[in-house]
Amino acid sequence: MLKMIICDDDKIFCSSFEDLVIEICRERNLKYEIFMFYETVKLKKFLEDNNDIDLIFLDIELKKTLGYELGNYIRNVLNLQKIDIVYISNNSSYAMALFKTRPIDFLIKPIKKEDLRNVLDQYLKLNKEKKEFFKFKNKIGYQKIDVQDIYYFESENKIVKIHCTNNIIKFYGKLNDVEQKLNDSFIRIHSSILVNSVYIAQFKYNEVKMINGELLPISQSRRQYIRKKQMDRWENNS
C-alpha cells in the first residue's frame, strides 16, 4: 500500500493532480491511499498522529507558509526522515532552499502526466531495495525498522520488545496488532512470542533455536501448527 499526501491550497489543482496520481497507480497496478490537505495546520496535526506516510507532494507557494518551511518541520521537528517529499511549484527558483529537506524530485506546474509518472517510477525504484519496514511509536518518537533486522517480538505486560540483530527496542502495544502488520515469514510460536522464521536455525518439539543460539519456547497449543509450518518451509526450500 502506497500512502500519499497531496498538499496544495488550490483545490482545483489538487483534484486534477489526484486524478493523475490515481491513473498512474492503476497503470502500475499499485495499491494506494491518498490524503488531501489545503492548509498546513491540518497537515501538521495529521503527521503528528500518522507516521506511516510514504510520499508527500507538497506545493511550495502555500498561502500561510512556504512548502520548504513545512519540509523543514517534517524533517527537523517531527523527525520524519523516512517520508519522501516531492515539491511542486510554478517556477524552479527554490532549488537551493529545498536542498536541506532532501526531496526526491521537483515538479513544475502545469504538471505533465509523463513527468509525474517518472517521479513515481523513481520513487518505486529508490524504495524497492528498502523492502519491508515495521513501523511503531515509542518514547523516542516514530520509528521504522527493516524486518530483516528483527529476530523476534516478545510481549510482556503491554510492552512489546523487538529483539533485533544488534539491540532490543521497546514500545507499548499488543502482539496481535504487531502480527497483523507483518508478512508470513513471522510465526507466532507462543502467545507472547512472534518469531522471524528466517532466523530459526532449528525446530524442536517444544522450542526453536535461533541462529544466535537463543532458545524460544513453543506453547503446547501451537506445536501442531508450528510442525506444519516447519514442513511447509522444508517443501518450499527443497
Side-chain angles (χ1 to χ4, degrees), residues 91-141:
N91 63 74
S92 58
S93 63
Y94 294 93
M96 293 307 295
L98 304 179
F99 182 76
K100 291 183 179 180
T101 62
R102 306 190 311 279
I104 63 167
D105 218 319
F106 185 92
L107 290 169
I108 303 295
K109 295 179 180 178
I111 307 297
K112 297 178 181 178
K113 183 177 179 179
E114 185 61 29
D115 291 338
L116 178 56
R117 182 187 287 109
N118 290 338
V119 167
L120 285 173
D121 286 345
Q122 178 188 2
Y123 168 83
L124 294 172
K125 183 178 180 180
L126 289 172
N127 284 270
K128 185 176 182 180
E129 295 181 356
K130 292 182 181 179
K131 298 183 179 178
E132 184 179 351
F133 287 87
F134 176 73
K135 304 172 184 179
F136 64 98
K137 182 181 180 182
N138 60 10
K139 292 180 180 179
I140 298 175

Side-chain angles (χ1 to χ4, degrees), residues 138-220:
N138 60 10
K139 292 180 180 179
I140 298 175
Y142 291 107
Q143 306 288 320
K144 274 185 179 181
I145 300 178
D146 192 329
V147 296
Q148 292 186 342
D149 293 331
I150 300 173
Y151 281 153
Y152 65 96
F153 294 86
E154 180 184 15
S155 178
E156 183 179 0
N157 297 325
K158 297 183 179 180
I159 294 176
V160 176
K161 299 177 183 178
I162 310 174
H163 294 257
C164 302
T165 53
N166 57 3
N167 64 345
I168 297 175
I169 303 172
K170 300 179 182 180
F171 69 97
Y172 287 101
K174 297 179 180 179
L175 204 58
N176 286 340
D177 295 335
V178 172
E179 187 174 12
Q180 293 297 317
K181 297 179 181 180
L182 297 168
N183 60 46
D184 292 340
S185 66
F186 284 82
I187 303 174
R188 190 77 170 265
I189 65 170
H190 193 279
S191 60
S192 61
I193 301 175
L194 182 62
V195 178
N196 189 347
S197 62
V198 172
Y199 294 113
I200 295 177
Q202 184 180 7
F203 285 92
K204 298 183 179 182
Y205 174 69
N206 60 351
E207 63 186 9
V208 296
K209 183 178 182 180
M210 307 299 287
I211 62 171
N212 63 354
E214 280 191 87
L215 296 175
L216 303 175
I218 302 174
S219 64
Q220 186 172 0

Side-chain angles (χ1 to χ4, degrees), residues 205 218-231:
Y205 174 69
I218 302 174
S219 64
Q220 186 172 0
S221 63
R222 296 175 186 269
R223 287 172 187 169
Q224 185 175 354
Y225 167 76
I226 299 303
R227 176 68 176 172
K228 184 179 184 304
K229 281 286 186 180
Q230 178 188 9
M231 295 303 295

